[in-house]
């Protein structure tokens, strides 16, 4: 039996996930500012960015089942409280160590609470509307990743105390959502039982399909990670501007286009086709991003963000939906954990690689190398999808 207020609790769970992800991306337009102020290299910049993913992965495994034992409310509330600590560390940052600490705390917060919030969405969804919960979860992640840079850039450019105001605003909003989680009845309670670490594991019979879907999602999110880490600096160099609002808006545009694509293609009936088309659009966007620099073209830059965002939305939503469909019900948690570990590690490794190349050569060279490597991964995944279709495909058990 569900507790009172399931509709309000459903919305609140999605809002909590959105706020967590948005807060984790508020600093996106400020990384170049921190680099100049604290005097670190491009590789340190990307290490600061990647610290979030590197902490989030083990956090997902450690806390994956915690909300099953304690209930969704305390775990979501704990994640929001930790997120507030991360925002406070950014607001008070006086050196590079503060940035690493802030990103570590944010990774811990999102890793601890995102699984609980996602599970709460599924449990609180109206009868027969499981697809709505999946869509809200992916939109909260992509939408939060978009709104964070957008708001962070605007406040950093036009508000007083540019390196503080965005994080203070994030603290206030996160605190309000935390108060709502603590006050509102309706969050699912504990299931009981013994806690154990959520092991990332994939049953042998679905490993080939899982690998194809994980490659698709990791390649798509690696490009999104590029926009959230070094693209603001790339925009500044390309356009010879220090406008933080513009730099944040370019990063946000990519993720907003992803959200729109997910809404439009949420009922797609040909998963391999949609994922292949999405990856092809990602490859095109990488070409436009590379071409934008020598031509100093804002139009190409905007085109790259929109096309890449649409491709990201199509590829990621299709891959996540198919992973949910092929995972055995009694091992869905393990398979989902493995899927997101692949995605986040892909983002972290690619971001660190870009930082290394940028430090040894130039930022433009790093973007070119990234485009070649990630583009090749996209082409390989497209070929894999096409091969599956030509062999007749593998029926997927669609979650309803």
């Amino acid at each position: 039996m569900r507790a009172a207020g399931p509709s309000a609790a459903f919305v609140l769970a999605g809002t909590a996930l959105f706020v967590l992800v948005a807060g984790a991306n508020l600093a996106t337009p400020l990384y170049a500012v921190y680099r100049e102020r604290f005097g670190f290299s491009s590789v340190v910049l990307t290490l600061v960015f990647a610290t979030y993913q590197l902490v989030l992965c083990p956090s997902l495994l450690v806390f994956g089942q915690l909300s099953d034992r304690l209930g969704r409310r305390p775990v979501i509330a704990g994640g929001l409280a930790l997120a507030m600590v991360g925002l406070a560390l950014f607001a008070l940052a006086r050196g590079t160590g503060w940035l690493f600490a802030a990103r570590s705390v944010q990774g811990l917060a999102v890793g601890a609470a995102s699984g609980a919030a996602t599970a709460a969405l599924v449990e609180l969804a109206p009868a027969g509307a499981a697809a709505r919960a999946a869509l809200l979860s992916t939109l909260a992640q992509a939408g939060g990743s978009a709104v964070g840079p957008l708001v962070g850039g605007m406040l950093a450019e036009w508000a007083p105390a540019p390196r503080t105001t965005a994080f203070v605003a994030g603290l206030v909003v996160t605190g309000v959502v935390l108060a709502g989680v603590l006050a509102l009845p309706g969050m699912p309670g504990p299931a009981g039982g013994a806690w154990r670490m959520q092991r990332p594991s994939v049953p042998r019979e679905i490993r080939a399909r899982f690998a194809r879907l994980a490659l698709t999602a990791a390649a798509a999110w690696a490009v999104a990670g590029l926009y959230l880490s070094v693209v603001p600096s790339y925009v500044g160099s390309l356009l010879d501007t220090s406008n933080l609002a513009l730099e944040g808006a370019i990063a946000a545009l990519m993720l907003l286009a992803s959200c729109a694509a997910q809404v439009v293609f949420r009922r797609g009936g040909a998963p391999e086709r949609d994922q292949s088309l999405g990856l092809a659009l990602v490859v095109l966007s990488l070409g436009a991003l590379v071409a934008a620099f020598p031509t100093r073209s804002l139009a190409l830059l905007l085109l790259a963000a929109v096309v890449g965002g649409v491709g990201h939305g199509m590829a990621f939503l299709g891959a996540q939906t198919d992973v949910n469909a092929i995972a055995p019900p009694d091992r869905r948690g393990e398979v989902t954990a493995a899927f997101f570990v692949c995605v986040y590690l892909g983002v972290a490794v690619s971001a660190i690689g870009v930082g290394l190349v940028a430090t040894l050569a130039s930022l433009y060279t790093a973007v070119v190398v990234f485009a070649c490597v990630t583009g090749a991964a996209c082409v390989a995944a497209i070929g894999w999808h096409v091969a599956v279709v030509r062999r007749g495909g593998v029926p997927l058990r669609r979650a309803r």
Side-chain angles (χ1 to χ4, degrees):
M1 179 178 178
R2 291 183 180 179
S7 296
F10 178 75
V11 172
L12 190 60
T15 302
L17 184 57
F18 173 86
V19 167
L20 281 165
V21 176
N25 288 287
L26 276 174
T28 293
L30 289 167
Y31 287 136
V33 175
Y34 289 130
R35 182 180 61 185
E36 292 180 6
R37 185 172 183 84
F38 300 145
F40 53 75
S41 65
S42 294
V43 70
V44 173
L45 184 154
T46 51
L47 282 171
V48 169
F49 172 79
T51 295
Y52 169 79
Q53 286 83 16
L54 295 175
V55 172
L56 194 153
C57 287
S59 179
L60 279 172
L61 306 182
V62 171
F63 296 106
Q65 290 190 334
L66 194 61
S67 69
D68 293 335
R69 309 303 171 227
L70 300 180
R72 310 303 181 204
R73 185 202 307 273
V75 177
I76 294 173
L80 289 167
L82 276 174
M84 294 177 70
V85 174
L87 291 168
L89 287 170
F90 265 121
L92 298 170
R94 297 294 182 270
T96 308
W98 290 75
L99 305 183
F100 278 108
R103 291 295 282 172
S104 296
V105 172
Q106 287 181 330
L108 185 62
V110 176
S114 59
T118 301
L121 285 172
V122 173
E123 294 161 353
L124 293 165
R132 188 186 307 175
L135 179 63
L136 184 56
S137 174
T138 57
L139 286 178
Q141 295 176 67
S145 297
V147 169
L150 184 62
V151 172
M154 292 171 63
L155 292 177
E157 182 64 28
W158 294 312
R163 290 183 293 108
T164 304
T165 304
F167 303 112
V168 172
L171 274 167
V172 172
V173 173
T174 306
V176 170
V177 176
L178 173 58
V181 170
L182 293 174
L184 182 71
M187 285 290 179
W195 172 86
R196 65 181 177 87
M197 182 180 292
Q198 183 66 66
R199 191 167 52 91
S201 176
V202 180
R204 185 181 301 275
E205 62 271 16
I206 66 168
R207 284 179 186 171
R209 284 174 285 174
F210 174 89
R212 173 168 50 88
L213 299 171
L215 176 61
T216 297
W221 265 107
V223 176
L226 184 75
Y227 276 81
L228 293 170
S229 56
V230 302
V231 163
S233 298
Y234 186 74
V235 172
S237 298
L238 186 153
L239 302 177
D240 192 22
T241 180
S242 59
N243 189 308
L244 300 178
L246 175 61
E247 293 174 8
I250 297 294
L253 180 61
M254 193 268 188
L255 277 304
L256 289 173
S258 174
C259 291
Q262 291 180 46
V263 172
V264 171
F265 293 98
R266 68 188 186 278
R267 300 185 186 279
E272 286 81 13
R273 181 201 64 194
D274 288 349
Q275 290 172 65
S276 296
L277 178 57
L279 291 171
L281 291 175
V282 168
V283 173
L284 288 175
S285 78
L286 290 171
L289 186 64
V290 169
F293 197 90
T295 59
R296 302 285 172 178
S297 172
L298 178 61
L300 273 177
L301 195 62
L302 295 174
L303 179 67
V306 172
V307 172
V310 171
H312 172 275
M314 294 177 66
F316 176 61
L317 180 62
Q320 183 164 9
T321 301
D322 285 354
V323 165
N324 291 342
I326 66 173
D330 60 335
R331 299 188 63 181
R332 184 164 289 127
E334 297 175 16
V335 173
T336 301
F339 179 70
F340 279 106
V341 166
C342 292
V343 170
Y344 287 123
L345 285 180
V347 172
V349 170
S350 62
I352 294 170
V354 167
L356 285 171
V357 177
T359 300
L360 296 173
S362 68
L363 182 58
Y364 178 65
T365 301
V367 172
V368 171
V369 171
F370 173 89
C372 292
V373 174
T374 307
C378 291
V379 171
I382 291 171
W384 202 345
H385 286 302
V386 170
V388 167
V389 172
R390 286 181 175 175
R391 290 199 304 266
V394 181
L396 294 174
R397 298 175 284 107
R398 293 291 180 191
R400 299 291 180 186

